[in-house]
Amino acid sequence: MSCAKPERAEKAFKNADFVFKGMVKEQKGDSYIIQVDMVYKGDLKPRAKVKDMIGDWLQETLKEGGNYLIYGHKKGLHIEVDPCGRTDEWPKLTTDVEKFTNGELADYDADDFLEYTRSRDQRIAGTIAGLLLLSNVWIWRRKRR
């Protein structure tokens, strides 16, 4: 794939729904789970799911354990990244951050990740418990007939 020169940092920031720095934790199919370190634009949880806007460009760009500055667009429950955008390795784009206007820095620490994981696990456990309760009530009612 061939792209024209990527847009300048200020324009890319303005056009993106999300701009954040993070580390690639794992690849799941065509998705990448990013541990978010800093948020410059958008409302993100400590972990973000990122997909390629077109094809498999991200496979050549994002590597597990690597740190990246990601410019993304909201698409359903995940973030899409444009292969012709500015997303790249963190060291290459550290100067972009200096150009952001009205960017908000949001630090996540270990407690934030623990709380996010715990709340997700609690929702899953609650759903399972609810389904078990409903099935037991249904079985009990069937036996009474």
Side-chain angles (χ1 to χ4, degrees), residues 20-28 31-38 44-51 58 62-70 79 81 87 108 113 116:
F20 60 98
K21 177 184 174 276
M23 179 178 35
V24 177
K25 294 304 280 183
E26 63 181 300
Q27 179 183 358
K28 289 184 173 183
S31 299
Y32 295 82
I33 306 303
I34 310 291
Q35 179 178 317
V36 178
D37 296 328
M38 299 290 281
L44 287 170
K45 302 245 186 263
R47 291 190 186 253
K49 185 179 192 179
V50 173
K51 287 188 171 189
L58 284 179
L62 301 183
K63 305 293 179 215
E64 283 188 31
N67 288 299
Y68 299 88
L69 183 62
I70 297 172
I79 298 167
V81 177
T87 295
Y108 292 114
F113 289 105
Y116 173 73

Side-chain angles (χ1 to χ4, degrees), residues 86-144:
R86 288 193 66 84
T87 295
D88 208 339
E89 293 175 275
W90 172 247
K92 293 181 184 176
L93 298 179
T94 54
T95 57
D96 279 19
V97 176
E98 299 165 4
K99 299 172 186 165
F100 295 160
T101 56
N102 301 325
E104 231 177 85
L105 303 181
D107 278 315
Y108 292 114
D109 60 19
D111 290 336
D112 293 320
F113 289 105
L114 184 61
E115 181 180 320
Y116 173 73
T117 303
R118 190 179 312 129
S119 68
R120 182 195 63 208
D121 292 347
Q122 287 171 342
R123 286 192 306 270
I124 292 169
T127 301
I128 292 170
L131 289 171
L132 287 172
L133 179 64
L134 283 174
S135 66
N136 284 336
V137 168
W138 183 78
I139 291 169
W140 178 74
R141 290 189 77 191
R142 299 275 295 165
K143 285 182 179 180
R144 287 190 68 199

Side-chain angles (χ1 to χ4, degrees), residues 3 15 33 43 56 60 69 71-72 75 80 85 96 102-103 107 135 140:
C3 296
N15 292 336
I33 306 303
D43 184 22
D56 59 1
E60 298 172 20
L69 183 62
Y71 292 80
K75 184 72 172 186
E80 280 192 341
D96 279 19
N102 301 325
D107 278 315
S135 66
W140 178 74

